[in-house]
Amino acid sequence: MPQDTCDIGLIGLAVMGQNLVLNMNDHGFKVAVYNRTTSKVDEFINHEAKGTNVLGAHTMPDFIASLKRPRRVMLMVKAGSAVDQTIDELLPFLEAGDIVIDGGNSLFTDSNRREASLAAKGILFIGTGVSGGEEGARLGPSIMPGGNAAAWEHVKPIFQSIAAKVEDGTPCCDWVGEGGSGHYVKMIHNGIEYGDMQLICEAYQLLKDGLGLTPDELAGVFTEWNKGELDSYLIEITSEIFAKKDEDGSPLIDKILDAAGQKGTGKWTCESALDMGMPVTLIGEAVFARCLSAIKDARVEASKVLTGPATAKAADRAEFIEDVRRALYCSKIISYAQGYMLLSAAAREYKWNLNLGGIALMWRGGCIIRSRFLARIKEAFDKNPTLSNLLLDSFFSDTLDKYQASWRSGCIRAIQHGVPVPAFSTAMSFFDGFRTARLPANLLQAQRDFFGAHTYERVDQPRGQFFHTNWTGRGGRVSSTTYTV
Ligand code: 2AM
């Protein structure tokens, strides 16, 4: 085996790993590969990587010896204990200053832990999100690296050259921040993806059941939408899905069972939102909508008992379609604003310096949520790097203002037709809640103080002073200190 010649080594030759290696090779980097099951190394070298500069290693020592210093080792192994096991196997062969990159779908708290424990040993850890699926990995993914900043300059040329590029050539890869922030940003990306998909599904059902559009007509509507402000990968593939015919010539979409699967990153986003106390309601509804779809048998049973409204199909076709389009667009704005609220809260909690505009740029190309819309988010943070909430940027506030009546009308139409729109309606409620200076939580605080003496703050006194009222004349004068407000 040649020594010290490879720019980077990659462990884990499943499809994503293989495609990243081939992508790096295409961009002129010399890559060493290793896999626990070593027969996969030979298969890869003799087939997919035939004729390339990729070097196959059969042992961990050979693999490490083939790398230039500082060694750059990227792991594309199964998330979870396999990452820890592989790092443990690697460690005896590494020296201070070497770099370990985890490109799998790891939970960010694992990456926080790995970054800290490897830093104590002088090893620089990067946890990176890689999005775009198999095709993205091969041709240009979105790459979201975070961890030990000292490692960035050593991997930056490789990552930025293999990443997707936006129109002006800017790579969809930049440094995210400290600790597990790279994997956190990937998790938020996936959560937002759940939300975007659910919004499209709600638009679909509303156009189908409320207006009676056929799959061919839907394909036309989504093709049109993709030419405007909704221009995005998910809208584009949706139009193609509606146009696809089964072998018998009928629309394939009508033959697909309506029970959704999920792998857990949407759930992780919601768990983090609950931990941070951030109202990321749209992604929450998107996760629960998948759960509701999955209990298919129960729904079929219920559909025989429970009836909805008997509303005739709408007749104002153009207006109906535009209401749904605007409802989708406004809801999408709300979803991204919520996602960014969570990102900011996590940055405060974990002491990460996140480049919020840069994150939007990383999602502009290569990944599943890529869209024209993300350029608007980047612009908002360019205009004001300390923007406290996306909805307060004039582009977004003006759009919500302009589309508001139509957005409400879209939600009302859904309710009238008995079409479930949990994501559209939670976006509307969030908007109405967020723009309300005085919510009914005064009553909630009174109730808590009534039954539990939890105390309340007053509008006519400074914040931080707590009061208790003896509501019935029967309770004692002692207030509860068990709960925080
Ligand atoms: P394998 O081919 O030997 O199974 C995706 O599953 C990738 O992760 C594969 O390359 C797989 O290797 C690797 N992988 C899964 N569990 C692993 C472990 N405990 N140690 C090392 N690699 C592992």
Side-chain angles (χ1 to χ4, degrees), residues 12-14 35-37 40 76-78 81-82 85-86 89:
L13 288 175
N35 192 72
R36 176 182 61 176
T37 311
K40 287 196 189 161
M76 290 301 292
V77 301
K78 202 161 164 246
S81 60
Q85 281 169 21
T86 310
E89 277 177 56

Side-chain angles (χ1 to χ4, degrees), residues 194 198 262 270 281 283-294 422:
Y194 272 59
Q198 175 62 22
Q262 49 185 320
C270 296
T281 63
I283 298 173
E285 290 292 356
V287 172
F288 284 131
R290 290 195 191 195
C291 299
L292 181 61
S293 81

Side-chain angles (χ1 to χ4, degrees), residues 65-366:
S66 71
L67 303 177
K68 290 179 192 165
R69 287 180 165 78
R71 279 86 156 236
R72 285 161 282 221
V73 180
M74 183 156 186
L75 312 184
M76 290 301 292
V77 301
K78 202 161 164 246
S81 60
V83 176
D84 290 311
Q85 281 169 21
T86 310
I87 291 174
D88 287 345
E89 277 177 56
L90 267 172
L91 272 177
F93 307 105
L94 296 180
E95 58 194 31
D98 285 346
I99 298 158
V100 174
I101 306 144
D102 172 20
N105 256 332
S106 294
L107 184 59
F108 74 97
T109 45
D110 284 340
S111 301
N112 277 341
R113 167 178 61 77
R114 289 172 187 140
E115 196 272 316
S117 77
L118 286 173
K121 298 182 172 78
I123 307 295
L124 313 180
F125 177 83
I126 291 179
T128 186
V130 179
S131 174
E134 293 170 20
E135 193 180 270
R138 182 67 188 85
L139 302 172
S142 161
I143 308 179
M144 302 153 242
N148 198 320
W152 178 224
E153 61 174 306
H154 299 289
V155 300
K156 185 176 173 179
I158 303 180
F159 280 8
Q160 292 198 333
S161 62
I162 66 165
K165 309 287 184 300
V166 294
E167 300 83 16
D168 67 358
T170 310
C172 297
C173 170
D174 204 350
W175 188 245
V176 171
E178 300 85 343
S181 62
H183 277 128
Y184 194 85
V185 165
K186 172 69 187 342
M187 178 190 81
I188 298 285
H189 162 282
N190 285 27
I192 286 178
E193 179 184 310
Y194 272 59
D196 279 357
M197 292 167 75
Q198 175 62 22
L199 289 172
I200 292 172
C201 289
E202 291 179 13
Y204 158 51
Q205 194 175 4
L206 195 44
L207 293 173
K208 175 166 70 80
D209 295 348
L211 196 56
L213 295 194
T214 64
D216 279 338
E217 289 171 320
L218 286 161
V221 168
F222 276 79
T223 303
E224 273 312 302
W225 285 1
N226 201 41
K227 293 177 187 159
E229 59 202 354
L230 280 175
D231 174 0
S232 62
Y233 171 72
L234 282 169
I235 295 282
E236 182 190 331
I237 66 163
T238 301
S239 69
E240 288 179 28
I241 289 167
F242 287 133
K244 186 81 180 171
K245 301 287 185 287
D246 200 5
E247 282 158 9
D248 64 4
S250 66
L252 180 56
I253 187 71
D254 292 339
K255 303 255 183 88
I256 297 175
L257 186 81
D258 54 324
Q262 49 185 320
K263 286 219 214 136
T265 39
K267 183 179 133 206
W268 287 354
T269 308
C270 296
E271 285 171 350
S272 179
L274 291 171
D275 287 343
M276 300 288 152
M278 275 296 134
V280 186
T281 63
L282 196 143
I283 298 173
E285 290 292 356
V287 172
F288 284 131
R290 290 195 191 195
C291 299
L292 181 61
S293 81
I295 50 171
K296 169 87 177 170
D297 292 346
R299 287 187 290 111
V300 170
E301 200 59 25
S303 71
K304 295 171 189 154
V305 181
L306 306 172
T307 50
T311 315
K313 296 268 187 282
D316 54 343
R317 182 183 162 117
E319 202 182 329
F320 194 108
I321 293 173
E322 185 58 8
D323 282 349
V324 176
R325 192 189 71 84
R326 291 183 179 190
L328 172 45
Y329 191 56
C330 292
S331 303
K332 185 174 164 111
I333 292 173
I334 299 295
S335 181
Y336 282 67
Q338 291 183 345
Y340 265 85
M341 287 166 71
L342 181 54
L343 269 179
S344 300
R348 283 193 297 276
E349 172 74 17
Y350 298 110
K351 302 191 172 45
W352 297 330
N353 286 299
L354 295 186
N355 171 2
L356 297 176
I359 290 166
L361 185 71
M362 280 178 250
W363 294 343
R364 274 282 281 118

Side-chain angles (χ1 to χ4, degrees), residues 443-454 468-469 471-472 480 483:
L443 173 58
L444 197 134
Q445 286 295 79
Q447 290 165 337
R448 295 178 69 237
D449 191 55
F450 189 113
F451 65 68
H454 295 309
H468 170 58
T469 293
W471 295 89
T472 59
S480 167
Y483 297 90

